[in-house]
Amino acid sequence: MMSSTFSTTTARNIFYGGALFSFLLFLALTFHTESALPQRDARALLEANPQVAVGKRVWEENNCIGCHTLLGEGAYFAPELGNVYKRRGPEFIKAWIKAQPTGTPGRRQMPQFNLTEEELDALVEFLRYASEIDTNGWPPNIEG
Ligand code: HEC
């Protein structure tokens, strides 16, 4: 019968055992999160390299986000740039920015920003930094 195999004591033990197990699991996962976070701290990476911070300022002052997305955030007029460093490389990026607008008929145009070599180098450093942020594999393909 049920009462002979599953006593009140058994029920209580399952309750206490389950509660203890959940609490230990919670502690273990909290510990794991706390130890994994510093390696994924994008802000620390940013502050570790002053040129990246300069590049971020160039990025903001010229409102690149007004047309582009960075890791999905921003405007959807122009390509995602979070992975453009890996997609095109530093020389292409600088040459591209200097060559705007292309004037190619039927294509959306990007303005000329008249950036200095220092600003371009810093911008490329910022885009390199962005490409190294751990996004758990997003976007799934390199053209995304
Ligand atoms: C007014 C909108 C606009 C702004 C602002 C803008 N862009 Fe663009 N950008 C574009 C468009 C449109 C393209 C794609 C053009 C094409 O494919 O012919 C592009 C393409 C690019 C590409 C090449 C992407 C690729 O996948 O090959 C890079 C790099 C780039 N932009 C960087 C920047 C940076 C850095 C800034 C800020 C300094 C910026 N853009 C500001 C419109 C803009």
Side-chain angles (χ1 to χ4, degrees):
M1 289 301 333
M2 194 66 196
S3 56
S4 62
T5 56
F6 196 88
S7 65
T8 309
T9 313
T10 311
R12 190 185 298 123
N13 286 344
I14 289 172
F15 170 74
Y16 285 130
L20 183 66
F21 175 76
S22 302
F23 182 67
L24 290 178
L25 188 63
F26 171 75
L27 284 186
L29 289 175
T30 302
F31 179 77
H32 175 262
T33 301
E34 288 297 319
S35 55
L37 275 183
Q39 293 140 35
R40 302 180 55 142
D41 187 347
R43 174 155 291 273
L45 270 175
L46 180 75
E47 284 162 1
N49 182 344
Q51 211 186 3
V52 173
V54 174
K56 182 170 180 282
R57 198 153 61 239
V58 176
W59 170 267
E60 287 166 355
E61 283 169 356
N62 292 283
N63 192 30
C64 310
I65 207 88
C67 291
H68 291 275
T69 48
L70 192 69
L71 308 183
E73 295 284 338
Y76 285 77
F77 180 73
E80 160 69 37
L81 294 184
N83 58 3
V84 76
Y85 186 90
K86 289 181 175 158
R87 192 161 71 232
R88 308 277 187 236
E91 291 314 317
F92 175 96
I93 294 172
K94 288 172 64 176
W96 170 271
I97 295 171
K98 285 192 245 181
Q100 302 309 305
T102 61
T104 312
R107 287 195 77 89
R108 296 172 185 186
Q109 294 298 306
M110 173 166 148
Q112 176 52 244
F113 291 101
N114 297 307
L115 301 176
T116 64
E117 279 300 314
E118 290 71 35
E119 288 172 322
L120 285 169
D121 286 336
L123 200 45
V124 163
E125 272 302 293
F126 172 68
L127 291 172
R128 182 189 56 73
Y129 147 82
S131 76
E132 288 169 1
I133 292 175
D134 185 347
T135 57
N136 280 336
W138 192 93
N141 77 62
I142 196 76
E143 291 295 336

